[in-house]
């Protein structure tokens, strides 16, 4: 077994010092998510204004596909890292990060090659977009893996700086892409700037990703990794099925409209996408230090996000059409009709992520997988069923209802897991 770092030992002391350490880590987490949100929001807005609703729909399909691949990488490489190597010794952390980032890089290379071949085969509007995505996947996934590694070590400042570097590199890259004015050019610019940040992550950590050690990492973490892989790909795969199904039922423009509405709630969606960077390590620390507070901690996390999403959505309803058109261009007219259901969907998802963080910290992979399977099935059924009944708006309302139901499932599973732990308090988190 490994032992906590000096910083971890200080964090366990009662009183103000532990609270200050928690607030500090959460503050860097929020700062990092703010940087990520701004970058994602800026890219989406810039591309939406430049390309129009149909081409933006193609860009959105590539973005959703990236989300699936990202969750494959997280499930296999970095989710086990934050569960088992948060607050451990430096030597243990460094060894795990080398293997974990190597796994992420290997996943990016393998799936990137598949995207490249698919793009060359498909051709048409989608082909060049998937070729560009395939080329850039290794850098994109490695950059994300560094963020997980830094939060596992409790050094969120480094993750924040890494995202700032990505955001700064985006500016000249997007200006160059604007000259070409194609979906592929914007994807290449987005991925190239992420690759710059990935290289900076190596300089920050001094750790070389060990792709050759990926097989060993997968073998060591198979009890969590493969369940998290299925769980994560259910989540992102459901989004992809909904996007492609919506495009087939209503049209590619409908995908652009949904993505436009999601961009308006971008800060909260970005937090949800990267939530485990902050909440899973913190939930794991709460579990080690004060297990009886885990349920309350998760409720605070989920409830805070849900309330925040509702407040933001309420503000969007008051936004003048002129401002909306300035932000989204031609996409605004169709996206504005979806603000209410998309807001409710994000609020429901935010509430559920609090329970999901608790299940991850407990190492209850079987329960979290069951929750995700049910929630993903509801998402696809609600999104496509709503589209068949009432087009784009119906799909948005179907997803909102499905997300609220899925959140209820997550909390029921967390309650059962906490009850089991109370009855049989056997440690679930391994650090070696």
């Amino acid at each position: 077994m490994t032992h906590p770092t000096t910083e971890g030992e200080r964090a366990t002391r009662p009183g103000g010092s532990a609270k200050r350490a928690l607030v500090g880590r959460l503050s860097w987490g929020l700062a990092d998510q703010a940087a990520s949100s701004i970058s994602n929001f800026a890219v989406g807005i810039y591309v939406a204004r430049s390309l129009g609703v149909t081409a933006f729909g193609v860009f959105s399909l590539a973005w959703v596909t990236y989300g699936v691949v990202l969750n494959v990488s997280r499930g296999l490489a970095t989710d086990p890292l934050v569960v088992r190597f948060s607050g451990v010794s430096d030597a243990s952390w460094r060894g795990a990060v080398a293997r974990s980032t190597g796994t992420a890089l290997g996943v990016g290379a393998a799936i990137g090659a598949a995207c490249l071949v698919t793009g060359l085969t498909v051709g048409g509007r989608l082909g060049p977009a998937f070729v560009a995505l395939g080329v850039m996947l290794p850098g994109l996934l490695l950059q994300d893996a560094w963020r997980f590694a830094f939060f596992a070590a409790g050094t969120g400042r480094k993750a924040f700086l890494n995202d700032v570097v990505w955001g700064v590199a985006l500016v000249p890259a997007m200006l160059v892409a604007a000259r070409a004015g194609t979906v592929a050019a914007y994807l290449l610019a987005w991925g190239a700037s992420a690759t710059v940040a990935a290289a900076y992550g190596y300089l920050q950590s001094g750790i070389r990703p060990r792709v050759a050690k990926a097989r060993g990492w997968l073998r060591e973490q198979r009890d969590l990794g493969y369940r998290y892989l299925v769980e994560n790909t259910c989540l992102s795969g459901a989004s992809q099925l909904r996007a492609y199904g919506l495009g087939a039922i209503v049209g590619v423009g409908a995908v652009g409209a949904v993505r436009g509405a999601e961009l308006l709630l971008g800060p909260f969606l970005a937090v949800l996408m990267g939530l485990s960077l902050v909440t899973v390590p913190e939930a794991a620390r709460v579990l080690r230090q004060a297990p009886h507070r885990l349920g309350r901690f998760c409720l605070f996390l989920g409830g805070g996000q849900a309330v925040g999403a509702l407040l933001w959505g309420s503000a969007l309803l008051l936004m003048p059409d002129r401002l909306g058109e300035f932000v989204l261009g031609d996409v605004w007219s169709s996206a504005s009709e979806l603000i209410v259901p998309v807001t409710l969907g994000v609020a429901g998802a935010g509430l559920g992520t609090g329970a999901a963080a608790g299940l991850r910290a407990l190492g209850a992979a079987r329960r979290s997988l069951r929750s995700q399977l049910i929630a993903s099935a509801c998402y696809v059924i609600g999104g496509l069923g709503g589209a068949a009944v009432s087009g784009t708006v119906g799909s948005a309302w179907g997803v909102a209802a499905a997300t609220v139901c899925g959140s209820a499932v997550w909390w029921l599973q967390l309650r059962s897991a906490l009850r089991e732990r109370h009855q049989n308090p056997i440690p679930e988190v391994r650090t070696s």
Side-chain angles (χ1 to χ4, degrees):
M1 291 289 292
T2 58
H3 301 284
T5 60
T6 302
E7 178 183 355
E9 290 170 352
R10 286 196 300 267
T12 61
R13 293 175 185 168
S17 60
K19 291 182 180 179
R20 284 194 295 270
L22 172 61
V23 170
R25 290 190 298 268
L26 288 176
S27 297
W28 281 117
L30 291 173
D32 175 71
Q33 290 305 326
S36 177
S37 298
I38 291 169
S39 297
N40 289 333
F41 184 75
V43 169
I45 294 301
Y46 194 77
V47 175
R49 288 178 55 82
S50 303
L51 297 180
V53 68
T54 301
F56 186 57
V58 175
F59 180 86
S60 299
L61 290 176
W63 186 287
V64 169
T65 303
Y66 158 72
V68 176
V69 181
L70 179 66
N71 279 304
V72 170
S73 175
R74 287 180 175 180
L76 294 176
T78 50
D79 282 345
L81 178 75
V82 297
V83 169
R84 287 179 168 156
F85 295 90
S86 292
V88 300
S89 69
D90 184 67
S92 179
W93 175 80
R94 293 180 69 85
V97 168
R99 301 193 303 278
S100 175
T101 54
T103 302
L105 198 56
V107 169
I111 303 183
C115 285
L116 185 63
V117 172
T118 300
L120 293 172
T121 303
V122 170
R125 285 177 175 267
L126 281 174
F130 276 85
V131 169
L133 179 64
V135 171
M136 291 299 155
L137 273 177
L140 285 162
L141 298 189
L142 181 58
Q143 192 275 339
D144 186 72
W146 288 126
R147 298 171 69 211
F148 273 79
F150 294 140
F151 275 107
T155 55
R157 177 178 59 87
K158 291 184 177 181
F160 169 73
L161 290 174
N162 196 276
D163 267 326
V164 169
V165 168
W166 186 2
V168 171
L170 260 176
V171 176
M174 296 302 279
L175 291 176
V176 171
R179 296 183 178 181
T182 64
V183 173
Y186 285 115
L187 286 168
L188 288 170
W190 174 56
S193 54
T195 302
V196 171
Y200 179 60
Y202 168 72
L203 296 177
Q204 287 177 291
S205 65
I207 300 172
R208 181 167 62 89
R210 303 294 295 274
V211 179
K213 299 287 188 179
R215 183 175 297 180
W217 175 261
L218 294 175
R219 184 171 57 250
E220 293 167 13
Q221 310 300 328
R222 62 182 179 273
D223 59 325
L224 291 183
Y226 291 119
R227 285 197 176 103
Y228 289 159
L229 169 65
V230 176
E231 180 182 329
N232 289 356
T233 51
C234 281
L235 172 63
S236 53
S239 298
Q240 190 174 32
L241 282 175
R242 188 259 184 127
Y244 279 99
L246 183 60
I249 295 170
V250 184
V252 176
V255 182
V258 170
R259 177 61 186 157
E262 291 173 346
L263 276 174
L264 296 173
L265 284 125
F268 294 97
L269 290 171
V271 168
L272 292 179
M273 287 178 63
L275 187 66
S276 56
L277 292 172
V278 181
T279 57
V280 175
E282 292 307 323
R285 287 184 176 95
V286 171
L287 181 63
R288 289 190 181 99
Q289 298 163 18
H292 61 284
R293 295 181 180 172
L294 181 60
R296 205 179 334 163
F297 178 77
C298 294
L299 184 60
F300 171 77
L301 291 173
Q305 288 185 91
V307 170
L310 291 174
L311 291 174
W312 185 269
S314 299
L316 290 175
L317 292 174
L318 302 176
M319 188 164 66
D321 287 340
R322 183 178 301 176
L323 180 58
E325 290 168 0
F326 174 78
V327 173
L328 289 179
D330 294 339
V331 179
W332 166 254
S333 60
S334 51
S336 60
E337 300 177 355
L338 309 178
I339 290 175
V340 172
V342 170
T343 297
L344 293 175
V346 173
L351 184 61
T353 51
L359 287 173
R360 288 286 176 95
L362 288 166
R366 189 171 299 174
R367 287 191 176 278
S368 61
L369 174 58
R370 185 182 307 145
S371 301
Q372 192 59 70
L373 287 172
I374 296 172
S376 298
C378 291
Y379 183 93
V380 173
I381 293 170
L384 297 186
V389 172
S390 190
T392 309
V393 175
S395 179
W397 278 107
V399 165
T403 306
V404 173
C405 292
S407 178
V409 172
W410 280 105
W411 280 101
L412 289 172
Q413 290 295 322
L414 177 61
R415 186 178 67 173
S416 298
L418 290 172
R419 187 183 299 120
E420 286 178 0
R421 181 178 177 84
H422 178 71
Q423 294 171 352
N424 186 27
I426 299 174
E428 301 242 15
V429 180
R430 230 175 36 198
T431 56
S432 63

